[in-house]
Amino acid sequence: MTTLLLLLGALLFSAAGIVRSDASDHRYKEGDSVPLYVNKVGPFHNPSETYRYFDLPFCVPEGVKDKKEALGEVLNGDRLVSAPYKLNFRDEKDSETYCKKKLSREEVEQFRRAVEKDYYFQMYYDDLPIWGFIGKVEKEGKSDPTEFKYFLYKHIQFEILYNGDRVIEINARMDPHSLVDLTEDKEVDAEFTYTVKWKETETPFEKRMDKYAMSSSLPHHLEIHWFSIINSCVTVLLLTGFLATILMRVLKNDFMKYAQDEEAADDQEETGWKYIHGDVFRFPKNKSLFAASLGSGTQLFTLTIFIFMLSLVGVFYPYNRGALFTALVVIYALTSGIAGYTASSFYCQLEGKNWVRNLLLTGGLFCGPLFLTFCFLNTVAIAYSATAALPFGTIVVIVLIWTLVTSPLLVLGGIAGKNSKAEFQAPVRTTKYPREIPPLPWYRSAIPQMAMAGFLPFSAIYIELYYIFASVWGHRIYTIYSILFIVFIILLIVTAFITVALTYFQLAAEDHEWWWRSFLCGGSTGLFIYAYCLYYYYARSDMSGFMQTSFFFGYMACICYGFFLMLGTVGFRAALLFVRHIYRSIKCE
């Protein structure tokens, strides 16, 4: 089975293109053609709202060819086509004209709207990214937008660094003096030109991507990251030290008290968490949903660990187009068996009978909301004619992966879990009839407990969250995966400890319905992350427009829901270990 999974994984990874076989390692002779592709254009502050380069009325060269793209590149919104510029190896050019065009009034207006929204372009030369703005707005201290002047850049200066027979670096600068005035609605003549300069460098080919990774490793950025780590570590040490001291002391007193009670008269009434020993392992309501949540959470936890492993070994280097999306799709498909096994096994431990329905619920618990969100957002992208709209062929590929890989592995995992015949192994017997839960103050109800449980883990990660958001929903590059992994470990530890503490206080108040509560408290950090989304959108970003807003809040809702399931599973597993330990340590009749 393991060999089959490894083989299937290798096939999927190669088919989906996570390891870029076309990553450029080309050697060139003087005058050789070097691949240059234009990718997309879009408003700088709206990273999801991107369009094909030639959706703007640039000169379209003859024989434009689309580049064959991997699954992840398409999911990332990349649509590479051959560029109008000719940048042959070590072939310098000075103000080369590649197009003369009379822009109609409609084209001038289209360019003006693009310049007004700070449109940028992206190209790839020998797999090296090139960025630039298509124009500029000249305000000259004027506050009235009707007095602004709009200009389109018509000259681009390429400076290319090479080492021997390889391209090492490329920079593109727009000439601020070579402009087309777009301010008035009238036809304009435009002559688009470019200059190419070549310089030799000592930088080896193996280090040519380092300059992109360095932006997130600058000293002042690293100081902030390490401050985040130290802040989180102090939080963890204080929390774990406080909880360990309190719980050990309280539990020690409880054990001594209960031991004395057993030696005293039998008619003495039990109090505290021992009093509910006959109810604490009573199976939760909605056991099928509970088991499915644990299965999905376990799968997402496994997916996260695999993603971290790939990032730490350097798979997700800057501008490895779509590698992360490819990895997410492929690893999620391959780990669906874990979800099926965990959910089905635990459901059978809870004496559930309809394991097939439980398996269907497990398969749709995370995929269902994600699919509905995707359908809505893809429709929005189609309406905007954006590159985020997936082609029909890509949708078919994803459906085939789900049908031929995800679903069969889910079923196989479910069958294996059902046949494992594992028993729950409660350390104490459960009584026939449940005890009544005494009236509790308002702060012991689910929502206040979730607020307390989610705040501490969130406080340990919120500094790092800004950099993640600025990378995913902006143009920053994030490469410090080792620090992110440390923060993730801290998040798990704090989530586990706070859930254990709240579970103890809940049991001490003679409330035995801790199963769902521990899951909800563990997962509540996901709700805090979504609340942070609101803050980030309105206070830290300049995103605007219906498409960008719907993409941001739609996909972040799915990500936060995934965090809820994953951390809820961590919280419940920690609470279950704790509850089993304390009830195994006392004698209960």
Side-chain angles (χ1 to χ4, degrees):
M1 182 70 178
T2 307
T3 309
L4 180 63
L5 280 175
L6 288 171
L7 181 61
L8 190 59
L11 285 171
L12 277 173
F13 272 98
S14 59
I18 187 169
V19 180
R20 289 182 55 78
S21 58
D22 63 331
S24 180
D25 188 13
H26 297 140
R27 298 175 182 272
Y28 303 101
K29 297 177 182 177
E30 187 169 343
D32 281 357
S33 176
V34 183
L36 172 65
Y37 297 99
V38 290
N39 186 12
K40 52 192 177 184
V41 294
F44 183 75
H45 299 295
N46 289 357
S48 301
E49 187 185 343
T50 54
Y51 305 94
R52 288 177 175 270
Y53 183 84
F54 290 116
D55 283 351
L56 288 178
F58 289 111
C59 298
V60 182
E62 293 181 5
V64 172
K65 293 180 181 178
D66 288 346
K67 182 180 183 295
K68 186 179 179 182
E69 293 173 319
L71 173 63
E73 291 177 294
V74 179
L75 293 175
N76 195 40
D78 291 329
R79 302 291 185 271
L80 277 72
V81 297
S82 51
Y85 310 101
K86 302 298 179 187
L87 275 60
N88 295 339
F89 191 70
R90 295 180 62 183
D91 182 9
E92 295 200 348
K93 294 181 179 179
D94 187 22
S95 297
E96 177 91 3
T97 300
Y98 74 88
C99 166
K100 291 181 180 180
K101 184 176 183 180
K102 180 182 281 291
L103 299 176
S104 66
R105 292 180 60 181
E106 292 77 15
E107 290 173 334
V108 168
E109 185 183 357
Q110 191 177 351
F111 270 128
R112 186 170 63 245
R113 283 200 306 268
V115 170
E116 187 180 8
K117 293 180 180 178
D118 280 333
Y119 265 51
Y120 70 96
F121 65 82
Q122 187 188 48
M123 303 181 191
Y124 282 93
Y125 182 69
D126 198 47
D127 269 341
L128 293 170
I130 312 168
W131 298 76
F133 287 97
I134 68 164
K136 69 174 183 176
V137 182
E138 202 171 87
K139 300 180 180 179
E140 294 181 348
K142 297 171 184 173
S143 56
D144 186 0
T146 57
E147 298 179 357
F148 293 167
K149 291 186 175 180
Y150 301 90
F151 296 98
L152 176 72
Y153 293 124
K154 62 179 183 178
H155 183 79
I156 184 168
Q157 299 169 340
F158 294 104
E159 183 179 86
I160 308 170
L161 276 63
Y162 69 97
N163 185 350
D165 53 4
R166 284 170 159 178
V167 176
I168 303 299
E169 185 179 329
I170 181 167
N171 298 298
R173 289 185 298 110
M174 313 308 291
D175 188 346
H177 305 295
S178 182
L179 304 167
V180 177
D181 193 341
L182 305 171
T183 310
E184 298 179 17
D185 281 331
K186 63 179 183 180
E187 292 185 349
V188 178
D189 289 319
E191 181 179 356
F192 294 97
T193 58
Y194 64 104
T195 298
V196 186
K197 300 291 183 186
W198 287 84
K199 290 184 179 178
E200 194 163 8
T201 180
E202 298 297 320
T203 306
F205 179 81
E206 293 73 22
K207 294 187 177 181
R208 71 175 191 160
M209 301 304 290
D210 287 1
K211 88 167 206 177
Y212 304 105
M214 282 171 60
S215 61
S216 62
S217 305
L218 294 173
H220 63 280
H221 284 307
L222 280 177
E223 284 175 13
I224 296 171
H225 287 293
W226 282 116
F227 172 75
S228 169
I229 292 283
I230 293 167
N231 169 61
S232 303
C233 286
V234 169
T235 304
V236 170
L237 288 173
L238 288 175
L239 177 69
T240 52
F242 172 75
L243 289 179
T245 305
I246 296 296
L247 286 179
M248 292 298 288
R249 184 170 294 177
V250 170
L251 285 171
K252 186 178 179 182
N253 291 338
D254 286 348
F255 291 145
M256 289 175 63
K257 175 173 171 282
Y258 293 146
Q260 290 168 4
D261 287 348
E262 288 165 10
E263 296 170 4
D266 290 338
D267 59 352
Q268 184 175 350
E269 188 178 353
E270 294 175 340
T271 57
W273 53 268
K274 186 183 177 185
Y275 176 66
I276 56 169
H277 65 80
D279 296 278
V280 75
F281 290 106
R282 190 179 304 283
F283 297 146
K285 298 172 184 175
N286 303 311
K287 61 179 76 172
S288 183
L289 177 61
F290 190 78
S293 300
L294 285 182
S296 296
T298 306
Q299 180 187 7
L300 292 170
F301 177 75
T302 310
L303 168 68
T304 307
I305 295 297
F306 273 113
I307 291 294
F308 271 118
M309 288 170 60
L310 289 174
S311 64
L312 291 172
V313 298
V315 171
F316 305 130
Y317 58 84
Y319 298 106
N320 185 2
R321 296 187 300 274
L324 179 59
F325 287 104
T326 306
L328 287 170
V329 170
V330 172
I331 297 174
Y332 184 84
L334 293 174
T335 53
S336 59
I338 293 172
Y341 179 85
T342 306
S344 188
S345 173
F346 199 79
Y347 181 65
C348 291
Q349 288 181 40
L350 299 181
E351 298 175 1
K353 303 299 180 187
N354 196 341
W355 69 277
V356 175
R357 188 181 67 179
N358 172 253
L359 211 54
L360 292 172
L361 185 59
T362 305
L365 193 63
F366 181 72
C367 280
L370 181 63
F371 175 72
L372 292 175
T373 305
F374 163 75
C375 287
F376 171 71
L377 295 178
N378 204 55
T379 304
V380 172
I382 290 170
Y384 273 74
S385 301
T387 60
L390 294 190
F392 179 73
T394 305
I395 296 173
V396 170
V397 169
I398 293 174
V399 170
L400 285 174
I401 290 174
W402 190 84
T403 307
L404 301 178
V405 181
T406 308
S407 298
L409 287 178
L410 181 75
V411 172
L412 288 173
I415 293 170
K418 173 182 172 289
N419 294 333
S420 66
K421 303 197 185 308
E423 295 182 1
F424 184 69
Q425 297 176 343
V428 291
R429 288 196 304 272
T430 301
T431 56
K432 189 172 182 180
Y433 300 104
R435 291 181 187 270
E436 186 178 350
I437 299 171
L440 298 171
W442 65 270
Y443 57 82
R444 288 194 179 274
S445 60
I447 293 177
Q449 296 281 297
M450 287 172 67
M452 282 189 280
F455 177 74
L456 276 170
F458 175 77
S459 67
I461 64 168
Y462 79 96
I463 295 177
E464 208 64 26
L465 266 185
Y466 169 74
Y467 289 96
I468 299 297
F469 274 58
S471 174
V472 175
W473 300 105
H475 302 287
R476 279 181 185 263
I477 299 169
Y478 192 96
T479 56
I480 318 176
Y481 300 114
S482 54
I483 289 181
L484 186 61
F485 185 62
I486 295 170
V487 171
F488 178 69
I489 297 298
I490 291 170
L491 173 65
L492 297 180
I493 293 170
V494 179
T495 300
F497 266 85
I498 196 69
T499 308
V500 165
L502 290 174
T503 301
Y504 171 77
F505 294 131
Q506 181 182 355
L507 296 178
E510 299 177 9
D511 181 357
H512 54 78
E513 294 182 346
W514 63 275
W515 298 70
W516 273 109
R517 180 72 63 82
S518 63
F519 188 91
L520 294 173
C521 286
S524 59
T525 307
L527 302 178
F528 275 82
I529 296 174
Y530 200 66
Y532 180 81
C533 292
L534 292 166
Y535 164 75
Y536 181 84
Y537 182 85
Y538 289 106
R540 304 303 294 270
S541 80
D542 293 311
M543 290 185 274
S544 60
F546 177 73
M547 178 182 167
Q548 181 61 45
T549 304
S550 58
F551 264 69
F552 179 74
F553 286 108
Y555 280 128
M556 281 311 302
C558 293
I559 292 169
C560 293
Y561 175 52
F563 265 93
F564 177 82
L565 292 173
M566 179 179 71
L567 295 176
T569 301
V570 171
F572 169 73
R573 290 294 185 186
L576 180 61
L577 283 172
F578 170 75
V579 173
R580 273 184 169 150
H581 173 72
I582 62 172
Y583 281 97
R584 196 179 286 121
S585 303
I586 61 169
K587 296 178 181 177
C588 298
E589 295 183 6

